[in-house]
Amino acid sequence: MFSYSTRNVARLSLIDSYLRQELVGAGKPQSHALSSGIFPVMVQFQPGTSCFNNGVNHLKSIVNNYAHCKMNQSLPRFSLQGGNLTATALEDLCANCGDVKKIYLDREFSVLLDTATETTRAIELQEEDATGEGVTVAVLDTGVHPSPDLMEPEERIIAFKDFIDDQEEPYDDNGHGTHCAGDVAGNGQQSDGEYAGPAPNANIVGVKVLDMRGAGSLSNIIAGVDWCMENQEAYDIQILSLSLGSPAMDPEDDDPLVQAVNQAWDAGMVVCAAAGNEGPSEETIASPGISQKIITVGALDEQGTPDRSDDDVAEFSSRGPTIDGHTKPDMLAPGVDIVSLRAPDAFLDQMSKDDQLDDTYIAMSGTSMATPICAGVCAQLLEKNPELEPDELKEQLREGQKI
């Protein structure tokens, strides 16, 4: 049984597909709605400071007028304001605030899980002294454990921001982000160089936007992108690596995370995002990988050898086209049984004991692994040519098709 207001709001054009689906399904066990019938949303206002300020003030008045509603995270750069609203409050906002452009469900994103350096030819760049020296990669994920492979002989985790528990020191209670950081820039300190990433001298900025389960809200991920843009110069952040995703239901122009990563790209940051693990079905590219601008990475199964003649697309790797009909992914990188860093006693570490190689390393598979490997190669290319714009770097990668 749905209330009149819930059905009414679900028909409004200002509501995105995800929120409309939740409104229609309100009361079902899997619904994002809280037990009191409250929906976590991100309200996007029309462009311009005055529209944003007016819209936020209007939203505040609505929150004050309806029980159990509240304001959440504010992201002025993207004209977004978070909140928890009832269906009746949503209906009021849509009907009476002319500054509203769109209202999005603050939906859940998750990690994309299911020998690499030689296959990517990163070793050839390393032989040319391209090791990512001086390049900073921000890994937006579950955090990063300060492994010796990232901290010795020099400390290369140069910053850490936690949007989950607001801790200041680097940590990872899931393990996924640590593996990804190692995929980018592990130096093999504890394996005599055997398990090193493409950019073993690159710097890492850990941005924790996913929780212990490997899940996170749309608002926290956009906040992570926003933080990277705000601190781009302070830490010289040149690359963002996002091994996370959510099923794409709306076109890229109507996806707030796509809008956010596109702005980061336009600001001079190379953005690498995972294609998703919904293959081999077609049209399964995840958000934000549906963006035409950024580098969307699929997973390559290298069959355990550096010989490229036996390489194939990993069975799980999502296929294009995107929901808009565009060709994706842009390229493939190794993503099957990739050995990288463990976060001791973290969630995945405890759940995947059979995949542990020793006290330091663990094997994982997914486009999650392919994405930071691609980001590592991007770091190598930027070290060799710091003047490369994101579009130029993307074209260099695409010329090789596989990296």
Side-chain angles (χ1 to χ4, degrees):
M1 298 292 292
F2 312 132
S3 72
Y4 171 77
S5 292
T6 301
R7 292 199 309 270
N8 239 22
V9 173
R11 295 192 186 102
L12 295 172
S13 61
L14 294 177
I15 302 296
D16 84 330
S17 298
Y18 304 90
L19 181 54
R20 185 176 297 112
Q21 187 176 77
E22 291 299 318
L23 285 161
V24 171
K28 294 181 179 179
Q30 69 270 28
S31 175
H32 286 77
L34 305 182
S35 59
S36 55
I38 299 174
F39 299 84
V41 299
M42 294 294 290
V43 182
Q44 185 173 58
F45 298 105
Q46 299 292 343
T49 302
S50 61
C51 289
F52 180 76
N53 291 337
N54 291 339
V56 169
N57 287 333
H58 194 124
L59 181 58
K60 284 180 180 177
S61 68
I62 287 178
V63 166
N64 291 334
N65 287 335
Y66 292 93
H68 308 299
C69 296
K70 69 174 185 177
M71 304 284 281
N72 291 332
Q73 195 151 222
S74 185
L75 297 165
R77 187 193 307 274
F78 307 117
S79 297
L80 290 168
Q81 173 64 51
N84 285 357
L85 302 177
T86 62
T88 305
L90 282 166
E91 188 173 5
D92 188 338
L93 182 64
C94 291
N96 298 304
C97 183
D99 293 305
V100 173
K101 182 179 180 182
K102 197 81 174 182
I103 303 177
Y104 301 96
L105 178 71
D106 194 359
R107 67 190 192 271
E108 186 174 278
F109 283 69
S110 61
V111 299
L112 294 174
L113 275 173
D114 200 77
T115 65
T117 300
E118 285 185 89
T119 302
T120 61
R121 297 179 180 168
I123 192 69
E124 296 174 16
L125 288 169
Q126 290 175 1
E127 288 171 352
E128 298 174 19
D129 295 324
T131 59
E133 182 83 36
V135 179
T136 300
V137 181
V139 179
L140 286 76
D141 213 287
T142 62
V144 56
H145 173 71
S147 165
D149 282 27
L150 299 171
M151 304 294 283
E152 299 175 7
E154 295 180 352
E155 186 172 326
R156 291 183 294 115
I157 303 176
I158 63 171
F160 182 74
K161 177 64 178 178
D162 181 7
F163 285 95
I164 304 299
D165 294 315
D166 201 29
Q167 296 190 35
E168 295 183 0
E169 296 300 319
Y171 76 101
D172 184 0
D173 51 7
N174 174 273
H176 184 268
T178 299
H179 196 283
C180 289
D183 291 332
V184 175
N187 64 7
Q189 176 79 12
Q190 299 168 97
S191 61
D192 294 325
E194 182 177 359
Y195 300 125
N201 287 331
N203 293 322
I204 291 293
V205 169
V207 185
K208 184 172 174 60
V209 294
L210 304 176
D211 63 17
M212 183 177 70
R213 299 178 299 111
S217 65
L218 171 67
S219 55
N220 274 346
I221 296 165
I222 294 178
V225 175
D226 182 67
W227 185 88
C228 289
M229 295 181 70
E230 186 69 25
N231 291 276
Q232 182 177 8
E233 291 187 11
Y235 301 114
D236 196 22
I237 301 172
Q238 293 149 282
I239 302 168
L240 306 185
S241 181
L242 293 92
S243 292
L244 49 83
S246 176
M249 290 175 58
D250 286 331
E252 61 174 308
D253 291 343
D254 202 19
D255 186 317
L257 182 53
V258 170
Q259 295 167 22
V261 296
N262 283 353
Q263 282 197 42
W265 185 273
D266 292 340
M269 293 179 174
V270 175
V271 181
C272 300
N277 292 350
E278 300 301 321
S281 299
E282 296 181 353
E283 299 183 10
T284 52
I285 302 296
S287 169
I290 59 173
S291 165
Q292 290 184 75
K293 284 192 176 184
I294 69 173
I295 300 169
T296 305
V297 188
L300 183 71
D301 187 348
E302 54 184 338
Q303 309 296 331
T305 74
D307 183 357
R308 302 184 102 190
S309 64
D310 60 358
D311 294 351
D312 199 1
V313 181
E315 181 78 4
F316 57 76
S317 187
S318 289
R319 270 67 164 178
T322 67
I323 191 171
D324 296 290
H326 301 300
T327 300
K328 285 280 181 173
D330 297 294
M331 60 202 59
L332 303 175
V336 177
D337 293 331
I338 303 301
V339 176
S340 186
L341 299 174
R342 284 177 56 190
D345 299 321
F347 180 78
L348 285 181
D349 194 54
Q350 296 182 47
M351 298 294 291
S352 308
K353 294 188 181 296
D354 290 344
D355 296 319
Q356 297 172 4
L357 273 70
D358 52 32
D359 292 340
T360 304
Y361 301 102
I362 189 170
M364 295 185 187
S365 299
T367 55
S368 277
M369 285 61 253
T371 299
I373 288 173
C374 176
V377 175
C378 290
Q380 291 180 290
L381 293 175
L382 282 174
E383 181 192 1
K384 287 177 62 66
N385 187 355
E387 303 303 316
L388 278 177
E389 294 293 330
D391 287 334
E392 295 171 328
L393 189 148
K394 180 179 180 179
E395 186 58 32
Q396 282 199 15
L397 290 177
R398 287 173 63 95
E399 286 175 0
Q401 298 302 309
K402 297 177 182 178
I403 58 173

